[in-house]
Amino acid sequence: MAKQFLIYSLLGLVLLPWLSGCAGTKTLSGAGATFPAPFYIEVAKQYGDAEGIHVSYGGVGSGAGQRNLAETTVDFGGTDEFLSDEKIAKAMPMPIIHIPTCIGGIVIAYNLEGIEELRLTPEVISGIYTGRITEWDDPAIRELNPDVTLPDQRVIPIYRTDGSGTTFVFSSYMSKVDSVWREELGAAKTLDIKVGNAAKGNPGVAGVISSTPGAIGYIGSEYSMALGIPAAAIRNRSGHFIAPTMESISLSANLSDFPDDTRVMIADSPDPDAYPISTMTWLIVYKEQSYGHRSLESARLLQDFLYYIVGEETHEAARKTHYASLPPLALEKARAVIASMTYQGKPLSEP
């Protein structure tokens, strides 16, 4: 699956400019976060088979996806980091809207021969990425795992080099729950990590972890599940060690008060059974669609695809690619956001 995903992503990058310029061809193009890319690729194929519309998506990272939308070289961007009003005003030529599409976890994957279960806390994770914990048999790790024979082996932390929404979600969570991380590394799409090895994209980090004994790194849960890379159980807000599963990840999004604009972080859930490093991911588009030489037909085509991706037809695609579907309240808010799209000031749904 990893090879297939990489081929699809590279193919998407090659096709994006060509498809966008094909007059009269019913196509949509998008680019952005690698975290949800397997889901988007699966849904694009499903939608194309059902509607005869070609949708391409290039997994280039959240930061690049935001820039591509700002430059209007794609119809939609993908991001794991929602944009603040201030950032939208600074980075985008026009107002945008956020459409949540699915839920996943940021897991702490590792490569330790013979060890399939491991417990970690935010403090230990922080110690590894700040260089304070350098060996797998460090007392802090042994204390959490008394029944595990930990090796006398160097810890090799792996991190992202590209502007990454996955990094932003992970570092935002860590900054919230650990003061050392907050002071030394902070929350951002790129981090100044001085230990370990770097890789590009979720597939790149997953590949390095898989091939490097002693490695540990943060990746989207779907890559860990699809590739069979072990992931640690993390202590959550309630003090429970929770392994990342579709069930524990989806519990994070069961919010009683979901904002109308859908911009909300779901990490560090108060639910005692929720996996703590969970996130929604979003597609971003311009609310007003009559920009450049964009036609009404193209705008309505985009809206139709957005409705499709949050529809019941994609639940199986989410499960197949190891994501959790949005809960009912989030789906209701997502559809309301899509309905707010306009063309020359009028709702797209109007004839």
Side-chain angles (χ1 to χ4, degrees):
M1 180 175 177
K3 287 184 179 179
Q4 184 182 42
F5 165 70
L6 286 171
I7 291 169
Y8 284 160
S9 294
L10 291 172
L11 184 60
L13 290 177
V14 172
L15 289 177
L16 286 179
W18 180 82
L19 289 170
S20 298
C22 287
T25 304
K26 290 186 176 181
T27 66
L28 292 171
S29 63
T34 61
F35 177 80
F39 174 61
Y40 292 162
I41 290 168
E42 180 69 21
V43 171
K45 180 181 182 302
Q46 185 175 302
Y47 182 72
D49 291 343
E51 303 295 333
I53 308 300
H54 185 99
V55 182
S56 62
Y57 183 79
V60 294
S62 294
Q66 294 168 19
R67 290 192 297 274
N68 286 344
L69 184 66
E71 295 164 359
T72 66
T73 57
V74 293
D75 298 295
F76 60 90
T79 181
D80 304 323
E81 169 208 13
F82 65 76
L83 282 71
S84 66
D85 289 345
E86 180 182 4
K87 185 164 185 179
I88 292 172
K90 182 178 180 181
M92 297 291 169
M94 299 167 285
I96 64 169
I97 55 176
H98 292 70
I99 301 98
T101 56
C102 61
I103 305 163
I106 311 300
V107 306
I108 308 304
Y110 60 91
N111 184 340
L112 291 174
E113 185 177 359
I115 298 178
E116 297 299 323
E117 294 184 3
L118 187 72
R119 289 183 167 190
L120 295 175
T121 63
E123 293 78 15
V124 167
I125 297 168
S126 176
I128 289 171
Y129 274 97
T130 55
R132 290 175 171 83
I133 295 176
T134 59
E135 301 293 329
W136 276 109
D137 61 352
D138 186 281
I141 304 178
R142 282 194 281 111
E143 183 180 355
L144 298 174
N145 300 275
D147 299 325
V148 177
T149 302
L150 292 161
D152 178 11
Q153 186 175 12
R154 187 165 65 94
V155 179
I156 305 173
I158 312 299
Y159 58 93
R160 292 277 291 270
T161 56
D162 51 321
S164 159
T166 301
T167 299
F168 179 79
V169 172
F170 172 60
S171 61
S172 294
Y173 166 76
M174 289 297 297
S175 292
K176 181 178 181 181
V177 300
D178 182 75
S179 59
V180 173
W181 184 287
R182 182 169 58 251
E183 293 170 6
E184 295 196 16
L185 295 175
K189 291 199 295 293
T190 57
L191 300 173
D192 184 21
I193 295 174
K194 302 183 185 304
V195 294
N197 298 329
K200 185 174 182 180
N202 273 291
V205 173
V208 173
I209 294 170
S210 294
S211 62
T212 309
I216 185 171
Y218 58 92
I219 56 174
S221 54
E222 69 283 3
Y223 293 89
S224 169
M225 293 175 184
L227 298 173
I229 307 173
I234 307 299
R235 190 186 64 199
N236 68 9
R237 189 195 296 191
S238 300
H240 300 159
F241 286 90
I242 304 295
T245 66
M246 284 297 92
E247 292 74 20
S248 65
I249 290 169
S250 64
L251 286 174
S252 297
N254 286 330
L255 307 177
S256 58
D257 184 19
F258 202 96
D260 289 341
D261 65 11
T262 79
R263 292 181 291 177
V264 61
M265 295 287 288
I266 61 173
D268 195 33
S269 168
D271 190 305
D273 298 316
Y275 179 73
I277 322 176
S278 300
T279 184
M280 295 188 300
T281 189
W282 294 264
L283 292 182
I284 51 176
V285 301
Y286 291 111
K287 181 175 182 178
E288 170 55 51
Q289 286 285 302
S290 61
Y291 57 89
H293 300 290
R294 195 168 180 78
S295 68
L296 177 59
E297 180 186 17
S298 295
R300 285 180 170 165
L301 184 63
L302 174 59
Q303 186 181 53
D304 184 69
F305 173 68
L306 295 174
Y307 275 128
Y308 185 87
I309 205 168
V310 297
E312 294 181 1
E313 302 93 337
T314 62
H315 289 182
E316 176 59 23
R319 186 202 63 77
K320 179 179 177 181
T321 51
H322 306 288
Y323 299 86
S325 298
L326 298 173
L329 183 56
L331 286 171
E332 178 185 330
K333 300 286 186 175
R335 290 166 185 151
V337 169
I338 297 169
S340 72
M341 294 169 67
T342 60
Y343 191 88
Q344 295 182 349
K346 297 180 179 180
L348 271 177
S349 55
E350 287 187 359

